[in-house]
Amino acid sequence: MIVKDKVFDVLFNVERPGRYTGNEINMVVKDKDKVDVRFAFCFPDLYEIGMSHLGLKILYHMLNEREDIYCERVFLPWFDMQEIMKKNQIPIFSLETYSTIDEFDIIGFTLQYEMSYTNLLKVLELGNIPLRSSQRDENYPIVIAGGPCSFNPEPLSSFIDLFVLGEGEEVTLELIDLYKDYKQKKYKKEEFLIKASQIEGIYVPSLYDVLYTKEGTIKSITPKYSGIPKIVKKRIIKNLENVYFPQKMITPIIEVVHDRVTLEIFRGCARGCRFCQAGYIYRPVRFKNKESLKATTINLIKTSGSNEVSLSSLSTSDYPDVELLARDILREIEHKKVNLSLPSLRLDSTTLELLREIDKVRKPTLTFAPEAGTQRLRDVINKNITEDNIFSTIQTAFEMGFGNVKLYFMLGLPTETDDDILGIYDIAKRIKDIYTKTAKRFRLSLGISTSFFVPKAHTPFQWEGQITIEEMQRKARFLKEKLKKIKGVDYSYHDYYLSKMEAVFSRGDRRLDVVLENALKLGCQFDNWSDYFDFSKWEEAFKNAGVDYSFYSDRIRDHDEILPWDIIDSGVDKEFLIKEHKKSKEAKTTPSCFDKCSLCGATTFKGGICFAKV
Amino acid sequence: MPRYRFYFTREREQSFISHLDMMRLMERTFRIADIKLKFSEGFNPHPKITFILPMSVGLSTKGDIFEIELDQEITDEKIDTINNILPKGIRILKIENAINKIEVNGFISRVVTNSEPFNKNLFLKFLEGDIIIIKKDKPKNAKEFINTADVIFDKYTEFLFDIRVIKQSFIKPEEIVKKFIEDFNINSSILYVIREKINFQRGI
């Protein structure tokens, strides 16, 4: 029986079967036997998560523009489906043609969060594909990965044949063209990989030897052969005006997490918050042109029928004249009963006015991310927001009738003391007081949410240690007790164990491969879903591998230690990160790229705002 | 504002979506087709679409109906436009002006399962007794909703039901089959459900 029939025979008995049927609006249909390269785009999570992701949609449509390529989608089935698939011997399949993943030439994973690594392995396992790159010869598909987590690719380096670093639009096509060449002749996998490593932005982990010191730190990372790059530099699209963006977007039929058309308005972030990986790895800031954004919005609404458009970026307010852009777009879509959403908007009186216009009736939740409770600590992390900003905006918001406020903080930031945590309480208290004094027309809903600081590769805090689980518990409990004193505040915090595992894998090295294999065997998957995350299994996975996880998460590293991701060049110099790290200790801030160039090194890309100012 | 009645089919390929998904799909399709929908007033405007019978997950249909209020007049000529937008597996057959109301009396459904053949008398015996099914926390006797029922052993084991709709309320035939295979401990799972025909009356 063909895979599709087998799948359809079980769908009546699984949860949300629409995840597995494809056939959405604007799905690309091709004859799989008439293309040169078959590409399986795998999002290692549930359909509803993957289909909310803009990057998937861009690459999907971009690859499918080419007649010689057919890009199909693969998602990880939910537990109930996996069980039924196992029983009925159904391998994991693509949604376009119900092909099994071993039928593809290239399997491409996107790495959006560390806790999806076991999902990635699960996809391979459900596809009957050997996990380790070394166990797959030329008869298997080439397994590649990209996305933010590939900026420290090492924990996955035994499983992935090659990583694509940075923005994938150009480099993926270069790689596919190379593959096409090799596919025609009989090739050896390593020959192909060596050739691929010559493409800028491609990292082939199997071509490097890593040696370790007695203490367990890295002694050296060296290419196995001459001609293999000593350092792999990420790729960017210099000019976003010419970059591909779909004018028709695949639109799910079942409800997904972000059920809307998303428009990318710029890439990069100029703010330089010292904990934020995205703020460094996506540099430099490059804007898209307003007119083309407007035209794209109109096209996308016409072709997808969606009832919501979202303008996406790391910091929406940094788009020049964002109010003008938003109002122009609103004018085009309003009469079609299409809503506009503006995530990552920095709130002040102008943006509040805008929000009120956009959402005349719903009164959205206002979110602020001060990240730290005192000005000192905000200076340490270079978070450019003052309490006066927050309080005056909130005062205006209450006067306007907004009553839902949510604040995001981090616990366990470098140099944090209990006074800083008390600062969070003070902010909440002050907001409550402002509410009591001003408005009585609505009920206040004040949410405080904390996550635990996770040191990330390529940031000034990449040498920092994460606090222990006990300390996380203590800090969260301390804040919880304090916040209890303010009536009506709703406090929630991120899972400690999950934060710990994130810290391990975000700065892990090659020796974690065994841990991941163990975790998979023990049944770890969908770890990002706290209901399914089981720390005891992870502890066992580390124990069985003889690996102490605190070596990766808690240990403070020296500036001269060789870091697992030193092989990757994000464009931001290590010297700059060291300088920033030192400044953080003195609570000295660094201006945003809009105000002044701090010479981070990203000018080497010769694009973006680094030059606009000159 | 004009209210239209759309007759449509839904094949197995597109049958695994929920009632709400179906509504959203129609809203999107009309927006792409540039047909102006009438929206409800109030906090969260939504289009005024009514399916005359709910479209449950896993249900295919050879002819169901939804009614929708538009902000413009349309004719049959729009069928092609709409069908070109709809994903494979859902087709509009006919559009008519919904001047009079229609009232659903019942429908004919086929529940296809992979059961091994069993003694047909088991099923007949089951139909004779009370068939208590919990619906929205309340027990209901499915018996009063079954006009006729039969089982056919072919390539698959198919249960045929003629279901009565009483004051817009009914029991899903798949619930009855589930109860049967449970009660008699029959190794079986449902593959799909097809609504063959809706019986309705045109009012004045």
Side-chain angles (χ1 to χ4, degrees), chain A residues 1 4-5 8-14 16-19 21-26 251-256 259-260 301-308 335-339 361-362, chain B residues 12-18 20-22 24-25 27-29 31-34 36 39-40 42-45 57-59 85-89 114 156 174 178 189-193:
Chain A
M1 216 180 354
K4 185 173 182 177
D5 294 339
F8 269 78
D9 275 358
V10 302
L11 288 180
F12 201 88
N13 300 300
V14 296
R16 300 202 85 192
R19 291 167 178 160
T21 53
N23 238 324
E24 301 92 330
I25 294 175
N26 300 327
T251 309
I253 294 173
I254 66 164
E255 196 175 4
V256 298
D259 214 350
R260 56 201 180 201
I301 289 299
K302 252 188 213 157
T303 53
S304 72
S306 279
N307 64 354
E308 188 171 336
H335 63 280
K336 294 192 163 191
K337 296 280 188 247
V338 177
N339 299 318
V361 280
R362 264 192 305 187
Chain B
R12 198 178 167 198
E13 185 147 17
Q14 208 52 268
S15 67
F16 291 101
I17 61 175
S18 71
L20 280 176
D21 294 332
M22 194 70 184
R24 192 173 38 236
L25 175 61
E27 177 186 342
R28 287 189 173 158
T29 302
R31 193 176 280 118
I32 298 171
D34 211 9
K36 289 186 187 64
F39 282 82
S40 65
F43 281 107
N44 198 2
V57 178
L59 176 76
I85 297 163
L86 282 170
K88 216 174 122 215
N114 62 3
Y156 295 107
E174 57 266 35
K178 266 186 207 158
S189 51
I190 296 172
L191 303 180
Y192 54 98
V193 182

Side-chain angles (χ1 to χ4, degrees), chain A residues 274-501:
Chain A
R274 291 180 179 129
F275 56 85
C276 175
Q277 191 186 39
Y280 293 91
I281 62 172
Y282 295 122
R283 288 184 180 207
V285 169
R286 287 144 294 148
F287 293 111
K288 281 196 174 175
N289 163 295
K290 207 167 100 188
E291 291 312 310
S292 71
L293 283 173
K294 264 174 11 196
T296 307
T297 313
I298 295 166
N299 282 341
L300 286 176
I301 289 299
K302 252 188 213 157
T303 53
S304 72
S306 279
N307 64 354
E308 188 171 336
V309 177
S310 165
L311 301 186
S312 144
S313 71
L314 290 165
S315 173
T316 305
S317 300
D318 285 337
Y319 188 87
D321 302 324
V322 69
E323 295 91 8
L324 269 175
L325 173 72
R327 287 204 171 87
D328 278 2
I329 288 178
L330 205 57
R331 207 170 305 127
E332 299 286 349
I333 61 174
E334 218 172 6
H335 63 280
K336 294 192 163 191
K337 296 280 188 247
V338 177
N339 299 318
L340 178 65
S341 77
L342 299 169
S344 313
L345 195 66
R346 223 183 4 265
L347 295 175
D348 53 35
S349 50
T350 347
T351 46
L352 279 176
E353 194 55 55
L354 182 65
L355 276 183
R356 190 158 69 166
E357 269 174 59
I358 286 172
D359 221 318
K360 292 196 181 75
V361 280
R362 264 192 305 187
K363 291 267 160 55
T365 302
L366 303 177
T367 54
F368 297 84
E371 306 292 0
T374 58
Q375 193 56 48
R376 183 201 67 83
L377 193 52
R378 284 192 294 273
D379 288 343
V380 168
I381 63 175
N382 205 38
K383 181 82 198 188
N384 185 8
I385 184 172
T386 65
E387 276 167 33
D388 288 346
N389 281 159
I390 300 172
F391 297 139
S392 69
T393 307
I394 281 185
Q395 172 93 43
T396 319
F398 287 165
E399 282 160 9
M400 283 175 162
F402 288 96
N404 300 328
V405 177
K406 195 150 188 191
L407 295 146
Y408 290 95
F409 294 95
M410 259 188 248
L411 292 180
L413 283 163
T415 78
E416 182 189 65
T417 65
D418 284 358
D419 282 345
D420 298 304
I421 301 176
L422 277 175
I424 299 174
Y425 162 80
D426 291 338
I427 292 174
K429 178 92 181 39
R430 185 74 187 273
I431 292 172
K432 186 72 195 278
D433 290 345
I434 297 173
Y435 168 75
T436 319
K437 273 184 214 141
T438 45
K440 292 284 180 296
R441 286 173 296 145
F442 54 83
R443 246 187 70 175
L444 173 68
S445 143
L446 178 57
I448 306 275
S449 178
T450 61
S451 61
F452 296 101
F453 166 64
V454 176
K456 294 270 181 173
H458 300 283
T459 67
F461 289 158
Q462 63 179 356
W463 296 278
E464 289 288 342
Q466 190 188 44
I467 56 171
T468 60
I469 290 169
E470 293 71 37
E471 189 59 3
M472 290 182 193
Q473 286 168 330
R474 189 194 68 80
K475 284 179 193 254
R477 215 176 295 137
F478 177 64
L479 181 57
K480 194 176 173 180
E481 286 307 313
K482 289 284 163 209
L483 288 173
K484 262 189 196 162
K485 293 182 191 156
I486 314 170
K487 227 181 112 195
V489 171
D490 180 33
Y491 174 52
S492 65
Y493 52 87
H494 198 64
D495 190 294
Y496 338 108
Y497 302 109
L498 202 53
S499 308
K500 187 53 76 187
M501 291 298 99

